[in-house]
Amino acid sequence: MGFSTDCIHAGQEPDETTGAVSVPIYQTSTYVQPELGRHKGYEYARTKNPTRSALEANLAALERGKHAHCFASGMSAIDTVFRLLESGDHVVAGENMYGGSFRLFHRVLEKYGLTFSYVNTACVDAVRNAMTDSTRIVFLETPTNPMMTVTDLAACAAVAHERGALVVVDNTFCSPYLQRPIEHGADIVVHSTTKFLNGHSDSVGGVVVSNSDEIAEQIGFLQNAVGAILSPFDSFLVLRGVKTLAVRMKAHEENGVAMANYLANHGKVKKVYYPGLRDHPQHELAKRQMDGFGALISFELGSYENAKTFLDRVRLCSLGESLGGVETLISHPESMTHASVPIETRKRLGITPGLVRISVGIEDIEDLIADLENAFDGE
Ligand SMILES: Cc1ncc(COP(=O)(O)O)c(C=O)c1O
């Protein structure tokens, strides 16, 4: 089926008992078993819940994978993937990624004996050179948060697979509408469903998708054993959000391109980071690998004072962490999403005091630009 059809129908057969067209919220913790040793496929709701199962089937289909498991947050989804590893295992990860992922790796997982090398994954040789005999995972985010660097997924997958490592891709920034990493060789895809998948800034969740029965079995075991599951109500919200993923992403994309062009031509903006701009260093790769350029844009205003004045003046755009909602969200990566990244790394990557990140929503673009115009010029 086509992508839009899958958004609406994959995993979402009408309810067997009533014919309800929307998957019901099965708000139950357990299921009555008709006799000892016999049940209807559901024993206890940490292990399995029909609302969550419907969402998992839906997201697996959208990512062109076979299996999905939904979690209480994007971070718990990522954490569960790393529980596939053992003390002494090594990970190659992007030097620029969501600050919370770096915090999990550096402050939590290192305590359990995992080691990490952080490299610029836009350079395939850097990934190759960082691989060791102990490397079990290559963890990629593309485009990166917030510098919008694009990584060649197929090339990195070839390097990782040569050494027997798994490729894990955080596809939160794109959603499967814009990029499906499994088609480029990824073994596991993770998302914060909090962002574009849910799309309405009213649920926190995560998902792990894979194409391998063996990986899925291990993730399913960990999901049940560790227990950070997505609730039935949140599963319902994400299912509801995903029904409009294709139409929302189309609108996000249109507004994203228009906003990037507006910012690139503004005299007070020193630099714009957006893979859709022709001067972006990986523009050609983005054109090949993605089905659009998305709605995340970072731009440099030159100083903390400039960024603060600008951010204090926006009205329609909401100042806040997160991204991917229908409403435009604007943030200051240095002090917000990436505060946990060491200052030297932030400096090296370009996460400066003057950097602003915008997640362009689906409002009328004229209103968004008028809001930014006022923020640049207002008193
Ligand atoms: C790229 C990316 N991955 C993962 C996460 C973590 O997701 P959550 O906030 O749902 O735990 C975020 C959150 O901002 C993110 O931007």
Side-chain angles (χ1 to χ4, degrees), residues 52-72:
R52 197 174 86 223
S53 298
L55 175 63
E56 292 173 341
N58 178 262
L59 296 181
L62 295 187
E63 279 291 359
R64 304 308 184 216
K66 261 169 83 181
H67 308 278
H69 294 88
C70 285
F71 292 86

PDB file of all heavy atoms in Angstrom, residues 52-72:
ATOM      1  N   ARG A  52      -1.633  -0.869  21.988  1.00  0.00           N
ATOM      2  CA  ARG A  52      -0.191  -0.737  21.685  1.00  0.00           C
ATOM      3  C   ARG A  52       0.188  -1.632  20.509  1.00  0.00           C
ATOM      4  O   ARG A  52       0.959  -1.218  19.635  1.00  0.00           O
ATOM      5  CB  ARG A  52       0.623  -1.107  22.928  1.00  0.00           C
ATOM      6  CG  ARG A  52       2.061  -0.628  22.864  1.00  0.00           C
ATOM      7  CD  ARG A  52       2.772  -0.886  24.169  1.00  0.00           C
ATOM      8  NE  ARG A  52       3.327  -2.226  24.236  1.00  0.00           N
ATOM      9  CZ  ARG A  52       3.264  -3.034  25.291  1.00  0.00           C
ATOM     10  NH1 ARG A  52       2.637  -2.652  26.393  1.00  0.00           N
ATOM     11  NH2 ARG A  52       3.818  -4.222  25.273  1.00  0.00           N
ATOM     12  N   SER A  53      -0.365  -2.831  20.461  1.00  0.00           N
ATOM     13  CA  SER A  53      -0.042  -3.751  19.347  1.00  0.00           C
ATOM     14  C   SER A  53      -0.445  -3.131  18.012  1.00  0.00           C
ATOM     15  O   SER A  53       0.269  -3.268  17.017  1.00  0.00           O
ATOM     16  CB  SER A  53      -0.774  -5.084  19.509  1.00  0.00           C
ATOM     17  OG  SER A  53      -0.367  -5.715  20.686  1.00  0.00           O
ATOM     18  N   ALA A  54      -1.593  -2.457  17.977  1.00  0.00           N
ATOM     19  CA  ALA A  54      -2.052  -1.823  16.731  1.00  0.00           C
ATOM     20  C   ALA A  54      -1.059  -0.737  16.304  1.00  0.00           C
ATOM     21  O   ALA A  54      -0.681  -0.636  15.126  1.00  0.00           O
ATOM     22  CB  ALA A  54      -3.446  -1.225  16.923  1.00  0.00           C
ATOM     23  N   LEU A  55      -0.625   0.058  17.272  1.00  0.00           N
ATOM     24  CA  LEU A  55       0.350   1.112  16.952  1.00  0.00           C
ATOM     25  C   LEU A  55       1.669   0.497  16.485  1.00  0.00           C
ATOM     26  O   LEU A  55       2.292   0.970  15.525  1.00  0.00           O
ATOM     27  CB  LEU A  55       0.581   2.010  18.177  1.00  0.00           C
ATOM     28  CG  LEU A  55       1.659   3.079  18.000  1.00  0.00           C
ATOM     29  CD1 LEU A  55       1.274   4.076  16.899  1.00  0.00           C
ATOM     30  CD2 LEU A  55       1.911   3.831  19.311  1.00  0.00           C
ATOM     31  N   GLU A  56       2.087  -0.570  17.147  1.00  0.00           N
ATOM     32  CA  GLU A  56       3.359  -1.206  16.779  1.00  0.00           C
ATOM     33  C   GLU A  56       3.299  -1.748  15.346  1.00  0.00           C
ATOM     34  O   GLU A  56       4.239  -1.569  14.565  1.00  0.00           O
ATOM     35  CB  GLU A  56       3.706  -2.296  17.806  1.00  0.00           C
ATOM     36  CG  GLU A  56       4.049  -1.672  19.168  1.00  0.00           C
ATOM     37  CD  GLU A  56       4.244  -2.644  20.321  1.00  0.00           C
ATOM     38  OE1 GLU A  56       3.784  -3.795  20.240  1.00  0.00           O
ATOM     39  OE2 GLU A  56       4.854  -2.250  21.332  1.00  0.00           O
ATOM     40  N   ALA A  57       2.174  -2.350  14.992  1.00  0.00           N
ATOM     41  CA  ALA A  57       2.026  -2.870  13.619  1.00  0.00           C
ATOM     42  C   ALA A  57       2.036  -1.707  12.621  1.00  0.00           C
ATOM     43  O   ALA A  57       2.636  -1.791  11.538  1.00  0.00           O
ATOM     44  CB  ALA A  57       0.723  -3.661  13.500  1.00  0.00           C
ATOM     45  N   ASN A  58       1.397  -0.630  13.001  1.00  0.00           N
ATOM     46  CA  ASN A  58       1.323   0.543  12.126  1.00  0.00           C
ATOM     47  C   ASN A  58       2.713   1.146  11.887  1.00  0.00           C
ATOM     48  O   ASN A  58       3.116   1.396  10.743  1.00  0.00           O
ATOM     49  CB  ASN A  58       0.381   1.575  12.768  1.00  0.00           C
ATOM     50  CG  ASN A  58       0.284   2.851  11.963  1.00  0.00           C
ATOM     51  OD1 ASN A  58       0.958   3.826  12.260  1.00  0.00           O
ATOM     52  ND2 ASN A  58      -0.541   2.836  10.927  1.00  0.00           N
ATOM     53  N   LEU A  59       3.469   1.344  12.972  1.00  0.00           N
ATOM     54  CA  LEU A  59       4.784   1.994  12.827  1.00  0.00           C
ATOM     55  C   LEU A  59       5.786   1.079  12.120  1.00  0.00           C
ATOM     56  O   LEU A  59       6.622   1.559  11.345  1.00  0.00           O
ATOM     57  CB  LEU A  59       5.309   2.440  14.195  1.00  0.00           C
ATOM     58  CG  LEU A  59       4.454   3.516  14.892  1.00  0.00           C
ATOM     59  CD1 LEU A  59       5.073   3.902  16.237  1.00  0.00           C
ATOM     60  CD2 LEU A  59       4.278   4.752  14.016  1.00  0.00           C
ATOM     61  N   ALA A  60       5.683  -0.231  12.339  1.00  0.00           N
ATOM     62  CA  ALA A  60       6.557  -1.169  11.612  1.00  0.00           C
ATOM     63  C   ALA A  60       6.299  -1.021  10.114  1.00  0.00           C
ATOM     64  O   ALA A  60       7.239  -0.945   9.310  1.00  0.00           O
ATOM     65  CB  ALA A  60       6.300  -2.596  12.068  1.00  0.00           C
ATOM     66  N   ALA A  61       5.033  -0.941   9.726  1.00  0.00           N
ATOM     67  CA  ALA A  61       4.691  -0.825   8.297  1.00  0.00           C
ATOM     68  C   ALA A  61       5.232   0.484   7.718  1.00  0.00           C
ATOM     69  O   ALA A  61       5.795   0.509   6.618  1.00  0.00           O
ATOM     70  CB  ALA A  61       3.176  -0.902   8.114  1.00  0.00           C
ATOM     71  N   LEU A  62       5.085   1.583   8.463  1.00  0.00           N
ATOM     72  CA  LEU A  62       5.525   2.883   7.932  1.00  0.00           C
ATOM     73  C   LEU A  62       7.041   2.939   7.749  1.00  0.00           C
ATOM     74  O   LEU A  62       7.538   3.558   6.812  1.00  0.00           O
ATOM     75  CB  LEU A  62       5.077   4.028   8.851  1.00  0.00           C
ATOM     76  CG  LEU A  62       3.564   4.226   8.964  1.00  0.00           C
ATOM     77  CD1 LEU A  62       3.258   5.482   9.766  1.00  0.00           C
ATOM     78  CD2 LEU A  62       2.903   4.299   7.601  1.00  0.00           C
ATOM     79  N   GLU A  63       7.778   2.279   8.665  1.00  0.00           N
ATOM     80  CA  GLU A  63       9.244   2.289   8.546  1.00  0.00           C
ATOM     81  C   GLU A  63       9.730   1.183   7.618  1.00  0.00           C
ATOM     82  O   GLU A  63      10.915   0.966   7.466  1.00  0.00           O
ATOM     83  CB  GLU A  63       9.910   2.149   9.920  1.00  0.00           C
ATOM     84  CG  GLU A  63       9.990   3.446  10.716  1.00  0.00           C
ATOM     85  CD  GLU A  63      10.960   4.472  10.111  1.00  0.00           C
ATOM     86  OE1 GLU A  63      11.594   4.177   9.081  1.00  0.00           O
ATOM     87  OE2 GLU A  63      11.057   5.573  10.672  1.00  0.00           O
ATOM     88  N   ARG A  64       8.790   0.473   6.986  1.00  0.00           N
ATOM     89  CA  ARG A  64       9.112  -0.648   6.102  1.00  0.00           C
ATOM     90  C   ARG A  64       9.940  -1.693   6.843  1.00  0.00           C
ATOM     91  O   ARG A  64      10.865  -2.296   6.285  1.00  0.00           O
ATOM     92  CB  ARG A  64       9.834  -0.163   4.827  1.00  0.00           C
ATOM     93  CG  ARG A  64       9.074   0.904   4.037  1.00  0.00           C
ATOM     94  CD  ARG A  64       7.645   0.509   3.734  1.00  0.00           C
ATOM     95  NE  ARG A  64       6.936   1.480   2.895  1.00  0.00           N
ATOM     96  CZ  ARG A  64       5.635   1.781   3.026  1.00  0.00           C
ATOM     97  NH1 ARG A  64       4.899   1.248   3.989  1.00  0.00           N
ATOM     98  NH2 ARG A  64       5.050   2.614   2.202  1.00  0.00           N
ATOM     99  N   GLY A  65       9.611  -1.874   8.148  1.00  0.00           N
ATOM    100  CA  GLY A  65      10.233  -2.930   8.951  1.00  0.00           C
ATOM    101  C   GLY A  65       9.211  -4.023   9.203  1.00  0.00           C
ATOM    102  O   GLY A  65       8.073  -3.960   8.721  1.00  0.00           O
ATOM    103  N   LYS A  66       9.618  -5.037   9.994  1.00  0.00           N
ATOM    104  CA  LYS A  66       8.700  -6.146  10.271  1.00  0.00           C
ATOM    105  C   LYS A  66       8.110  -6.053  11.673  1.00  0.00           C
ATOM    106  O   LYS A  66       7.018  -6.532  11.919  1.00  0.00           O
ATOM    107  CB  LYS A  66       9.474  -7.473  10.159  1.00  0.00           C
ATOM    108  CG  LYS A  66       9.275  -8.168   8.819  1.00  0.00           C
ATOM    109  CD  LYS A  66      10.243  -9.318   8.657  1.00  0.00           C
ATOM    110  CE  LYS A  66       9.775 -10.598   9.321  1.00  0.00           C
ATOM    111  NZ  LYS A  66      10.775 -11.681   9.138  1.00  0.00           N
ATOM    112  N   HIS A  67       8.887  -5.469  12.595  1.00  0.00           N
ATOM    113  CA  HIS A  67       8.473  -5.487  13.998  1.00  0.00           C
ATOM    114  C   HIS A  67       8.667  -4.109  14.614  1.00  0.00           C
ATOM    115  O   HIS A  67       9.625  -3.409  14.266  1.00  0.00           O
ATOM    116  CB  HIS A  67       9.341  -6.463  14.813  1.00  0.00           C
ATOM    117  CG  HIS A  67       9.404  -7.832  14.213  1.00  0.00           C
ATOM    118  ND1 HIS A  67       8.423  -8.767  14.408  1.00  0.00           N
ATOM    119  CD2 HIS A  67      10.338  -8.416  13.415  1.00  0.00           C
ATOM    120  CE1 HIS A  67       8.755  -9.880  13.765  1.00  0.00           C
ATOM    121  NE2 HIS A  67       9.917  -9.693  13.154  1.00  0.00           N
ATOM    122  N   ALA A  68       7.797  -3.755  15.566  1.00  0.00           N
ATOM    123  CA  ALA A  68       8.000  -2.517  16.328  1.00  0.00           C
ATOM    124  C   ALA A  68       7.609  -2.759  17.777  1.00  0.00           C
ATOM    125  O   ALA A  68       6.748  -3.600  18.069  1.00  0.00           O
ATOM    126  CB  ALA A  68       7.164  -1.391  15.736  1.00  0.00           C
ATOM    127  N   HIS A  69       8.271  -2.039  18.664  1.00  0.00           N
ATOM    128  CA  HIS A  69       7.920  -2.084  20.094  1.00  0.00           C
ATOM    129  C   HIS A  69       7.853  -0.653  20.597  1.00  0.00           C
ATOM    130  O   HIS A  69       8.791   0.123  20.363  1.00  0.00           O
ATOM    131  CB  HIS A  69       8.975  -2.882  20.883  1.00  0.00           C
ATOM    132  CG  HIS A  69       8.998  -4.330  20.522  1.00  0.00           C
ATOM    133  ND1 HIS A  69       9.759  -4.828  19.486  1.00  0.00           N
ATOM    134  CD2 HIS A  69       8.303  -5.383  21.037  1.00  0.00           C
ATOM    135  CE1 HIS A  69       9.553  -6.140  19.390  1.00  0.00           C
ATOM    136  NE2 HIS A  69       8.674  -6.500  20.312  1.00  0.00           N
ATOM    137  N   CYS A  70       6.776  -0.309  21.274  1.00  0.00           N
ATOM    138  CA  CYS A  70       6.597   1.091  21.712  1.00  0.00           C
ATOM    139  C   CYS A  70       6.925   1.252  23.190  1.00  0.00           C
ATOM    140  O   CYS A  70       6.608   0.391  24.016  1.00  0.00           O
ATOM    141  CB  CYS A  70       5.168   1.537  21.422  1.00  0.00           C
ATOM    142  SG  CYS A  70       4.945   1.856  19.676  1.00  0.00           S
ATOM    143  N   PHE A  71       7.513   2.388  23.483  1.00  0.00           N
ATOM    144  CA  PHE A  71       8.051   2.654  24.820  1.00  0.00           C
ATOM    145  C   PHE A  71       7.501   3.961  25.391  1.00  0.00           C
ATOM    146  O   PHE A  71       6.901   4.764  24.675  1.00  0.00           O
ATOM    147  CB  PHE A  71       9.585   2.701  24.750  1.00  0.00           C
ATOM    148  CG  PHE A  71      10.178   1.353  24.444  1.00  0.00           C
ATOM    149  CD1 PHE A  71      10.320   0.908  23.130  1.00  0.00           C
ATOM    150  CD2 PHE A  71      10.523   0.491  25.472  1.00  0.00           C
ATOM    151  CE1 PHE A  71      10.809  -0.350  22.849  1.00  0.00           C
ATOM    152  CE2 PHE A  71      11.027  -0.777  25.197  1.00  0.00           C
ATOM    153  CZ  PHE A  71      11.180  -1.204  23.892  1.00  0.00           C
ATOM    154  N   ALA A  72       7.771   4.155  26.683  1.00  0.00           N
ATOM    155  CA  ALA A  72       7.216   5.301  27.402  1.00  0.00           C
ATOM    156  C   ALA A  72       7.817   6.631  26.961  1.00  0.00           C
ATOM    157  O   ALA A  72       7.251   7.692  27.246  1.00  0.00           O
ATOM    158  CB  ALA A  72       7.435   5.101  28.901  1.00  0.00           C
TER     159      ALA A  72
END
